Amino acid sequence: MSSYVLAIRNHPESGPGRYPAWLRAAGLEVEVRPGEDGLPGDLKGINGLIMLGGGLMPDDDAAAPWLAEERTLVARALDEHVPILGICLGGQLLAHVGGGRVRSDHGVIERGATRIRLTPAAAEDGLLGRLPASFYAIENHRDAITELPPGSVHLAYSEDCPNQAFRLGDVAWGLQFHPEASSANVARWDPAKVRADGFDHDELIRLAQSVEPESERACRQIAEAFATVVHQHAAT
C-alpha cells in the first residue's frame, strides 16, 4: 500500500504545480484538497501533510476560515511526528504554530527565480542535505517569517530574505520559496501587478526560463527527499 499525503490548497492560484506528479512517481498517493472544502479533524490514515501558498497570513481566519482547522492539523502533525512540508503560506503557518513570528508586508518583495543559499546546518538535513549549496527557486511573497520557532533549525536564506527554509523537530519543514512552481507560473502572473511591485515581467520570465533546468533538478530532489521521509515514517 502506498503512503498517503494530504496537500491543502489555500488559494485557487496557489496549486500544487508539478509536485503531485513527482510525489506519485516517488510512490506516494497524493490528494489535493481545497481548504474551503473542509479538513479532517485528525491524522488517521494521513502519512504526510503539505500546506501550499495563498497570499494570506497564517491567522487570517476572517478571509479563510479553514485556517483554524489547518493550524490544528499542523499542531497534531507536530505532536504525532507526521512529516510536514509547508510552502510559502504553508511555511509561515508552520512557523506560526511552532511559536515563531510572521509579519505582513515586511521586508523586500521577492518575485521570480531567486537564488536560495543553504546554511551549514542543511548539510545534515533529511530534506535539503543532498542539494547544491545554492540553487534557484521561484519566489512570490511580500510577507515574511521574521522569527523562527524556538528550537527550529535554520536551513536556507536568500539575499533579501533571511528565512527561506527551516526544520522544526525531525520531520517538519517550512519553505518560503516555491519548489512546486516553474517558469510557466511566472509567465501566468498579471503583468500589471508585477510592474506595481517594481519588476519587469518579461525579465522575470527570461530569468526563470534560463535557470529552469537547475531549478527543476533541485526542486525535484526536495520532492523525492520528502517522499523518502514519508515512506520511512509510514513504515514505523
Side-chain angles (χ1 to χ4, degrees):
M1 180 180 293
S2 62
S3 302
Y4 169 80
V5 169
L6 175 64
I8 302 171
R9 193 192 74 185
N10 289 299
H11 191 280
E13 295 180 4
S14 294
R18 50 197 179 180
Y19 257 42
W22 288 349
L23 293 170
R24 288 170 183 141
L28 296 181
E29 178 185 348
V30 182
E31 177 190 355
V32 180
R33 185 180 302 187
E36 62 266 29
D37 287 355
L39 300 177
D42 58 44
L43 293 162
K44 184 178 181 180
I46 297 176
N47 305 116
L49 188 62
I50 299 175
M51 301 93 68
L52 299 169
L56 300 159
M57 287 291 284
D59 57 353
D60 193 359
D61 296 355
W66 67 87
L67 285 175
E69 298 175 352
E70 192 167 346
R71 293 194 302 272
T72 297
L73 206 58
V74 169
R76 288 179 175 169
L78 288 170
D79 289 342
E80 298 176 25
H81 302 285
V82 172
I84 298 171
L85 180 61
I87 297 172
C88 198
L89 168 61
Q92 295 168 359
L93 194 148
L94 176 62
H96 177 85
V97 171
R101 187 181 184 194
V102 182
R103 292 180 61 182
S104 64
D105 291 310
H106 179 80
V108 178
I109 297 172
E110 289 187 307
R111 276 187 174 271
T114 302
R115 186 167 287 283
I116 308 299
R117 302 183 188 279
L118 300 183
T119 68
E124 303 299 323
D125 183 67
L127 189 75
L128 305 182
R130 295 179 56 198
L131 296 180
S134 70
F135 58 93
Y136 278 95
I138 300 300
E139 296 275 5
N140 188 20
H141 74 99
R142 62 195 321 118
D143 308 325
I145 301 167
T146 56
E147 295 179 20
L148 294 177
S152 62
V153 179
H154 182 215
L155 298 173
Y157 60 96
S158 66
E159 181 178 352
D160 291 319
C161 179
N163 296 317
Q164 286 287 351
F166 67 95
R167 187 182 71 249
L168 183 58
D170 295 330
V171 292
W173 290 272
L175 310 178
Q176 184 61 70
F177 60 90
H178 285 271
E180 85 289 2
S182 68
S183 60
N185 295 84
V186 177
R188 289 195 294 268
W189 290 344
D190 184 338
K193 291 182 179 179
V194 172
R195 286 195 301 273
D197 283 338
F199 297 94
D200 182 313
H201 192 212
D202 291 338
E203 181 55 35
L204 290 185
I205 294 171
R206 282 194 292 271
L207 176 59
Q209 290 174 339
S210 71
V211 301
E212 188 86 78
E214 171 193 339
S215 178
E216 182 172 330
R217 282 193 300 272
C219 292
R220 183 160 190 164
Q221 279 186 308
I222 295 172
E224 292 170 347
F226 185 69
T228 296
V229 171
V230 171
H231 287 309
Q232 289 172 343
H233 281 259
T236 59

